[in-house]
Amino acid sequence: MDAGISIELQIGPQSRMSVIYLAEYVKRKGVSPGACDIRFGLDPIGAFAIPGSSPCPWSEIVQDVGVNVKGLAAMGFRGPFAAADGRVIHDAGGSEVQELAFVLGAGVAYLRAIEAAGVPLEDAQGMVYARLSADADQFLTLSKFRALRLLWARIEQACGLSPKPLFVAADTAWRMLTQRDPYVNMLRATMATFSAGLGGANAITVAAAYAGAGIARSFRPARRAQHPTGVAGRIQPRQGVRSRGRLRRHRNAHQAALRCRLVAVPGDREGRRPVRLARTET
């Protein structure tokens, strides 16, 4: 436990007691909690986002989050403790912007919960970390990870804190895996890992090539609606230049949507038609 091995828990509602069991195990073994590199992964928001409902109101859950984090910190664990996990949004088909928005919202909620438990905000700053999905779209994945750090730094500044590096974990995307010809999943995982690494991920978990067996019969038909020419679109010369221009248009449109309280209606990622903005009622 104190040999420098990094441990990350990914727990759900049924396994939430594993955090306490692990903390008690460390104490029983006589290991210094400060010498353990454990990310406890407390994430009730993400856990209840999967079924779409919660058995308890947030006012009750927030107390448990704050008490658990404060108790683990009092035992001497370094954390981080609460995970703002955007994988549930990505797995459900959400865009990069929606995944980032969910992570930022969950992260702020956990900061407030920890502060409400009596932990100074300067200490709570390092008790929250993020987890994102990395898929085979190299440019969007790289940009998403870099954008998260910039956005989180702005949140820290708004809280009156000096920005500190956010720990960001990455998991290769579940929805990009295919059942047919699963060997190609290794190529997708390679590209996802490469993109997350360039984006600044601190830890990367790679799903097995056969993890998608029995989920989707094929990756290609599900994506053909967005990419009529195939999974990644038609390969053309100067593809990198086209992708950078596409990213700028995609980013600027969504930025304007968030600032003006508009909902962005994504256009074709290949740039065949512009991104439109639709005003929503507030």
Side-chain angles (χ1 to χ4, degrees):
M1 298 295 294
D2 56 351
I5 300 174
S6 181
I7 301 174
E8 180 173 357
L9 302 181
Q10 299 185 17
I11 58 179
Q14 289 78 22
S15 57
R16 61 184 182 273
M17 294 299 295
S18 60
V19 172
I20 300 176
Y21 296 152
L22 180 59
E24 292 178 348
Y25 174 81
V26 172
K27 182 179 179 180
R28 188 168 62 251
K29 289 295 183 179
V31 178
S32 173
C36 300
D37 185 8
I38 303 176
R39 299 186 295 277
F40 287 90
L42 297 173
D43 184 28
I45 296 179
F48 295 133
I50 297 176
S53 62
S54 171
C56 304
W58 175 244
S59 59
E60 298 180 8
I61 298 175
V62 69
Q63 295 178 1
D64 293 337
V65 173
V67 170
N68 289 333
V69 170
K70 186 177 180 179
L72 291 171
M75 293 178 63
F77 289 100
R78 295 183 285 117
F81 306 103
D85 193 346
R87 296 176 305 167
V88 58
I89 302 300
H90 191 273
D91 293 345
S95 66
E96 290 76 17
V97 174
Q98 291 171 328
E99 184 179 2
L100 286 174
F102 183 84
V103 169
L104 295 174
V108 171
Y110 292 142
L111 278 180
R112 291 173 174 169
I114 298 172
E115 185 185 23
V119 178
L121 194 57
E122 292 78 7
D123 297 336
Q125 183 180 10
M127 296 181 177
V128 178
Y129 71 103
R131 190 186 293 130
L132 293 175
S133 291
D135 61 21
D137 194 319
Q138 173 186 351
F139 293 99
L140 280 178
T141 298
L142 188 152
S143 300
K144 178 174 66 174
F145 278 81
R146 293 186 176 182
L148 175 61
R149 295 191 178 278
L150 295 175
L151 293 170
W152 187 254
R154 293 185 63 181
I155 290 178
E156 291 174 320
Q157 292 173 350
C159 295
L161 301 171
S162 299
K164 295 181 180 179
L166 174 69
F167 190 98
V168 181
D171 277 25
T172 54
W174 185 262
R175 77 183 191 190
M176 75 175 178
L177 301 178
T178 180
Q179 181 185 28
R180 297 178 180 175
D181 196 9
Y183 303 104
V184 186
N185 290 337
M186 291 187 287
L187 301 179
R188 298 191 181 106
T190 300
M191 182 57 68
T193 304
F194 173 77
S195 305
L198 287 183
N202 300 98
I204 304 174
T205 301
V206 182
Y210 287 91
I215 298 174
R217 290 193 174 185
S218 177
F219 177 82
R220 186 177 297 271
R223 298 288 284 181
R224 197 175 291 276
Q226 286 188 340
H227 300 284
T229 57
V231 175
R234 187 182 298 108
I235 299 177
Q236 300 178 3
R238 295 171 59 84
Q239 185 68 33
V241 177
R242 285 173 53 85
S243 297
R244 287 195 294 271
R246 171 168 59 90
L247 272 176
R248 283 194 295 269
R249 292 192 296 271
H250 185 76
R251 178 198 61 190
N252 293 339
H254 281 286
Q255 259 186 354
L258 291 175
R259 289 177 180 175
C260 303
R261 293 188 179 182
L262 301 175
V263 174
V265 181
D268 193 339
R269 289 185 174 179
E270 291 296 319
R272 298 188 181 90
R273 59 181 185 274
V275 174
R276 298 177 289 108
L277 297 178
R279 186 174 296 277
T280 59
E281 297 181 0
T282 58

